[in-house]
Amino acid sequence: MGEGLGWGQPLGSVAQIAYVVPDLEAAMAHFQRDCGAGPCFVIENFLQPGQIYRGAPSHADMRIAMTFAGQTWIELIQPLDREPSIYREAIDAHGYGLHHHGIAFADVEAALAGYLARGWKECFRSPVPTGGDVVFLEGGNAAAPAFIELLPVTAAMDAHFTSFWRAARDWDGKDPIRPFI
């Protein structure tokens, strides 16, 4: 895997920008039509066993779309229920829009230790289909406009998202919505 991801993004830097949206179809159409993104890869229900929100099991479900616009990995998240979550929390606090920046690390737990030492606090953790746990952080810097998500870089993760980047790079406009797996 080296020191970067298959689409050229270096480890330890922002690999993903994520938004909470009220309507996933409308958001996907906007990013495809107006931002040069596509195709979108959708997870219909992201309710993973082992999700932990603020120290307790989480039962929040959401639909997620992943896409690329050039080198930029975009995640769109539509909550599907009113269960407590970092997504509902953000919507209730400031509405829909920017939610987090995802930073890719080969060793999320080592990166987490560094963030915790700098004053960040873990607020959500979840296993992901490509291996490992994502960890969301808050509060480490008053200037931070959003949560930070620590993304576990596994061989499966790198291969999967590099395939999404390649699909976007070569996209002819056909099949704009595709399954994540």
Side-chain angles (χ1 to χ4, degrees):
M1 237 174 339
E3 292 301 312
L5 297 163
W7 65 93
Q9 190 66 25
L11 297 184
S13 68
V14 174
Q16 175 199 85
I17 303 170
Y19 303 87
V20 285
V21 300
D23 179 335
L24 193 64
E25 277 73 20
M28 289 186 293
H30 158 66
F31 275 91
Q32 290 174 342
R33 180 186 60 243
D34 302 324
C35 300
C40 293
F41 297 87
V42 176
I43 300 172
E44 290 296 335
N45 295 94
F46 187 82
L47 176 55
Q48 298 292 313
Q51 288 182 172
I52 303 293
Y53 168 68
R54 301 205 177 278
S58 173
H59 305 288
D61 193 9
M62 64 224 66
R63 290 179 71 213
I64 297 175
M66 304 285 189
T67 189
F68 276 82
Q71 298 295 114
T72 305
W73 173 11
I74 299 163
E75 179 179 20
L76 305 170
I77 305 147
Q78 177 188 351
L80 295 175
D81 54 37
R82 298 288 310 166
E83 290 287 326
S85 71
I86 56 172
Y87 308 105
R88 267 295 148 217
E89 197 177 291
I91 294 164
D92 292 346
H94 52 75
Y96 294 97
L98 178 64
H99 185 264
H100 67 265
H101 294 106
I103 303 174
F105 290 98
D107 185 341
V108 165
E109 295 304 320
L112 175 60
Y115 278 93
L116 295 175
R118 293 193 304 276
W120 291 86
K121 294 175 183 65
E122 182 176 329
C123 53
F124 180 70
R125 175 183 289 259
S126 178
V128 291
T130 55
D133 285 1
V134 294
V135 177
F136 284 78
L137 305 169
E138 67 178 352
N141 187 327
F147 292 101
I148 286 180
E149 177 186 21
L150 306 181
L151 299 163
V153 176
T154 64
M157 176 273 205
D158 191 27
H160 210 68
F161 288 101
T162 298
S163 76
F164 291 177
W165 169 72
R166 284 189 182 113
R169 185 187 61 194
D170 300 330
W171 191 43
D172 60 4
K174 294 178 184 165
D175 300 319
I177 300 171
R178 303 173 186 186
F180 182 84
I181 298 207

